[in-house]
Amino acid sequence: EIVLTQSPATLSLSPGERATLSCRASQSVSNYLAWYQQKPGQAPRLLIYDASYRATGIPARFSGSASGTDFTLTISSLEPEDFAIYYCQQRSNWPFTFGPGTKVDIK
Amino acid sequence: QVQLQESGPGLVKPSETLSLTCSVSGGSVNSGSYHWSWIRQPPGKGLEWIGYIYYSGSTNYNPSLKSRVTISVDTSKNQFSLKLSSVTAADTAVYYCARVPLYGGLDYWGQGTLVTVSS
């Protein structure tokens, strides 16, 4: 099973700041990695798929990149509604797995 | 707009079978472009992919749950279902159904339903 490790566990930032979230895979997942945002009491929402493609309706301030087994989600300028938990997920090998999440909270 | 809605008992006794149904509207489970998935999230914890089904009925289950899981599809009702047998307290979670394009991420999710395993 592919293990995804996310860092940091918590990121404390202010609105308007840049957020950089990391996800590392235990082995190659090609670019089959997605990012999700989850707010309390809600289902996750797809942000990025295949490492760098924004899902429908996702603002341009969200971007994804990849380098080998290291993946990054960047939020260029945090809006108040962006404070949430972010999960990465791979679909390279079954079982598809999720990372443990990074919580972005207000500093 | 595609919508998914989970339904089923919110309380299940230990050793019994958890049964949930996901009703799909605005799209068809009979489409060859998607898998239909079940994912769960224990309270305050992360996400676990339980398994998925294709319109043809072919399935893939998480090895950690494979011996206890059955996912089925009813194309006539535009629904798919989850059965998890011999449940314990460790199966207490919010259960989500979701759509997965063959290429991409989980793009539509149900709102989730909390299932508690308790006597």
Side-chain angles (χ1 to χ4, degrees), chain A residues 9-84:
Chain A
T10 303
L11 194 54
S12 297
L13 294 169
S14 301
E17 289 193 294
R18 183 183 188 90
T20 303
L21 288 68
S22 295
C23 177
R24 174 169 289 177
S26 60
Q27 64 189 76
S28 174
V29 297
S30 297
N31 275 353
Y32 299 137
L33 189 109
W35 290 93
Y36 301 84
Q37 176 193 69
Q38 188 178 34
K39 297 179 180 179
Q42 296 185 16
R45 177 175 70 142
L46 177 65
L47 301 174
I48 300 287
Y49 66 94
D50 292 352
S52 61
Y53 295 89
R54 270 192 303 277
T56 303
I58 300 304
R61 65 180 181 273
F62 291 93
S63 63
S65 63
S67 177
T69 58
D70 291 330
F71 298 84
T72 301
L73 174 69
T74 301
I75 311 171
S76 60
S77 178
L78 283 163
E79 296 288 341
E81 62 268 27
D82 299 336
F83 293 92

Side-chain angles (χ1 to χ4, degrees), chain A residues 1 32 34 36 38 41-46 48-50 87 89-91 94-100, chain B residues 39 41 45-52 60-63 96 102-107 109-112:
Chain A
E1 175 174 311
Y32 299 137
Y36 301 84
Q38 188 178 34
Q42 296 185 16
R45 177 175 70 142
L46 177 65
I48 300 287
Y49 66 94
D50 292 352
Y87 295 96
Q89 173 251 317
Q90 64 83 20
R91 66 173 183 90
W94 184 254
F96 303 152
T97 50
F98 294 87
Chain B
I39 289 131
Q41 185 172 35
K45 296 189 177 180
L47 297 154
E48 179 181 34
W49 204 312
I50 299 169
Y52 63 82
N60 217 346
Y61 301 139
N62 193 316
Y96 295 101
L102 295 183
Y103 303 99
L106 294 142
D107 60 354
W109 296 66
Q111 65 185 24

Side-chain angles (χ1 to χ4, degrees), chain B:
Chain B
Q1 176 78 342
V2 176
Q3 292 186 319
L4 293 85
Q5 178 70 57
E6 304 90 352
S7 59
L11 181 64
V12 181
K13 290 183 168 56
S15 79
E16 295 189 346
T17 296
L18 178 161
S19 296
L20 295 173
T21 296
C22 182
S23 299
V24 179
S25 58
S28 173
V29 297
N30 212 15
S31 168
S33 299
Y34 305 102
H35 292 122
W36 303 91
S37 286
W38 288 97
I39 289 131
R40 69 180 183 177
Q41 185 172 35
K45 296 189 177 180
L47 297 154
E48 179 181 34
W49 204 312
I50 299 169
Y52 63 82
I53 191 165
Y54 197 44
Y55 79 102
S56 62
S58 65
T59 55
N60 217 346
Y61 301 139
N62 193 316
S64 68
L65 298 168
K66 188 172 184 176
S67 64
R68 299 193 292 131
V69 172
T70 303
I71 298 175
S72 58
V73 64
D74 186 337
T75 55
S76 67
K77 294 182 178 179
N78 215 30
Q79 296 175 337
F80 62 106
S81 298
L82 168 71
K83 290 189 186 297
L84 181 65
S85 64
S86 304
V87 297
T88 69
D91 296 309
T92 293
V94 175
Y95 286 76
Y96 295 101
C97 58
R99 187 183 85 167
V100 197
L102 295 183
Y103 303 99
L106 294 142
D107 60 354
Y108 286 96
W109 296 66
Q111 65 185 24
T113 187
L114 174 63
V115 179
T116 302
V117 179
S118 175
S119 56

